[in-house]
Amino acid sequence: MRSRLIVVLVALAVAIVALYGLPRAYFLTDLIHDAEAQETRHVADIAAIAIAERGRGADDVTPDFLESFLQTQESLTFVAADGSRVRVGFPAEADSAEDIVATRPLPDGGEITLRRSADLIDQRVEDALMPLFLVGLALVILAPLLMWGLAERLSRPFRELAGVAERIGQGHFDEPIRHHRVAEAEAIAEALRRASARWAELMRRERDIAANASHELRTPISALRVEIEDLASWPQTPPDVAAELHSYLPQLDRLNAAVRTYLDAAQAQRLTDVDTVDLVPVVRAAMQRWEAPAEGARSAVASVLVEEPEGPMPVRASQATVGQILDLLFRDAVDRGATLVRVQLGCTDAFGRVRLSLEGETSPTGDKARAAASQTALEVDGRVSIVDGHSTLLLPRAPGGTASRVS
């Protein structure tokens, strides 16, 4: 979008310069030619009057006298009544058909011819057109820079919204969407806000259904199977009825297997839909946030990474979700009065692991933050476990990575 805007705006600027500059250049050229022709005629009139007055006084018309009427690149030819000729200025060999020529008759039968060189006219036209050309050239050179800035400003809201839409598509439904002054951009932003809110609600309901489906579906099926087996084994049950009841059990097993297949497929789909993020930089970022929090934002707690990971540790979760879980666990460490948090990273075949060992714990204030972290981890098929008062976050591993494995 930005490149197309730049091309369109630069082409528009060049067209404006051309549409203004070309007619202006022709107008100036004609104006200078007319002014030079008028000035030539005016000088010829003055010279004719002066020469006529000099003739009445019986004074000779000398070359020095004639040169007093000339400027650079002009010539003046005096033809006396007796046919004698005097020429001053540039030589006759330099005459051109494009010169401006003014001829005036004299009272005694002679005449004068004033000629202004075409080279002089061209030079004055060039001098007049040069500022116009330089201004046009400057506009053409500056236009891409100015238009780039304008296109950058016009396209920035839409590029930001494109990035927001990309992150929402990756599952970051809590992505902040700022307001824009451009009406079209604000309309798109508002549509994205509504869409992200609806998608977040749909995903929450889907996770709730997936989390409760095992209990709500498989438990009654298993209970029904047990009841049928008990009923079939009662002494009061006739043999033919017991045989009929036993024939129902394979159908219940098929139903149970179908439910289990559906739940496994739903879980695999959820794992495919979420992002893949490297756990190592996310953990480092969380440690830095809690070691040097913003002023007035939260209490700080020192942390240290026990062992440097050997490589990346990709897990199936969004960066925002992992950061939120870690923030809750660090919040829990602060609430418990810990003075140091030892962070250990590792992985198994199925999970990436982050273990937070607290030192200096003095005043436990409840498990609210831990419970919130555990609930958030369940949304990405992870879990938070507490062993000896220390927190361990387990997240499903993604393919790849060379980080150290732990048992």
Side-chain angles (χ1 to χ4, degrees), residues 182-383:
V182 181
E184 293 80 1
E186 179 59 25
I188 296 174
E190 183 60 29
L192 286 176
R193 293 187 195 100
R194 293 194 300 266
S196 63
R198 288 196 294 267
W199 291 337
E201 179 64 18
L202 290 174
M203 291 296 293
R204 185 190 64 79
R205 292 179 180 178
E206 192 272 339
R207 285 193 296 265
D208 291 344
I209 292 174
N212 297 327
S214 178
H215 174 73
E216 297 294 335
L217 294 177
R218 298 181 65 183
T219 300
I221 293 174
S222 299
L224 179 60
R225 192 182 196 286
V226 171
E227 292 293 336
I228 291 176
E229 289 178 342
D230 289 344
L231 182 60
S233 62
W234 281 3
Q236 297 87 347
T237 303
D240 55 341
V241 174
E244 183 67 19
L245 291 174
H246 279 293
S247 68
Y248 296 156
L249 296 181
Q251 302 301 324
L252 287 176
D253 292 338
R254 290 179 59 190
L255 178 59
N256 193 28
V259 171
R260 183 170 60 251
T261 301
Y262 166 77
L263 294 177
D264 292 343
Q267 182 181 20
Q269 182 62 42
R270 291 199 309 275
L271 291 178
T272 303
D273 290 341
V274 299
D275 291 343
T276 297
V277 64
D278 185 4
L279 196 56
V280 178
V282 179
V283 171
R284 291 185 185 278
M287 294 170 63
Q288 293 176 359
R289 283 198 303 271
W290 284 90
E291 286 179 353
E295 184 176 354
R298 59 173 81 92
S299 300
V301 60
S303 59
V304 60
L305 194 60
V306 175
E307 185 178 354
E308 192 71 20
E310 295 180 359
M313 189 184 302
V315 295
R316 292 187 180 275
S318 69
Q319 181 174 346
T321 301
V322 177
Q324 180 182 359
I325 297 171
L326 292 173
D327 284 340
L328 289 170
L329 294 178
F330 274 101
R331 175 77 268 176
D332 177 72
V334 171
D335 292 342
R336 295 175 181 276
T339 58
L340 179 66
V341 178
R342 295 187 177 275
V343 182
Q344 183 179 7
L345 288 168
C347 61
T348 64
D349 291 335
F351 292 96
R353 190 188 75 172
V354 183
R355 178 182 173 87
L356 278 67
S357 301
L358 310 184
E359 294 186 4
E361 181 179 351
T362 57
S363 56
T365 57
D367 297 330
K368 183 177 180 180
R370 285 182 175 178
S374 180
Q375 180 62 34
T376 306
L378 288 175
E379 295 179 358
V380 291
D381 293 290
R383 66 175 69 102

Side-chain angles (χ1 to χ4, degrees), residues 127-164:
D127 293 342
L129 294 182
M130 183 57 65
L132 181 65
F133 171 76
L134 293 178
V135 171
L137 181 62
L139 289 176
V140 171
I141 293 175
L142 293 177
L145 299 177
L146 297 176
M147 298 311 168
W148 181 87
L150 181 60
E152 176 74 15
R153 183 173 182 179
L154 291 175
S155 64
R156 184 183 300 117
F158 299 97
R159 288 187 288 108
E160 290 180 359
L161 291 173
V164 169

Side-chain angles (χ1 to χ4, degrees), residues 76-91:
L76 180 60
T77 303
F78 167 66
V79 180
D82 59 1
S84 61
R85 178 186 297 266
V86 178
R87 179 181 175 120
V88 294
F90 63 84

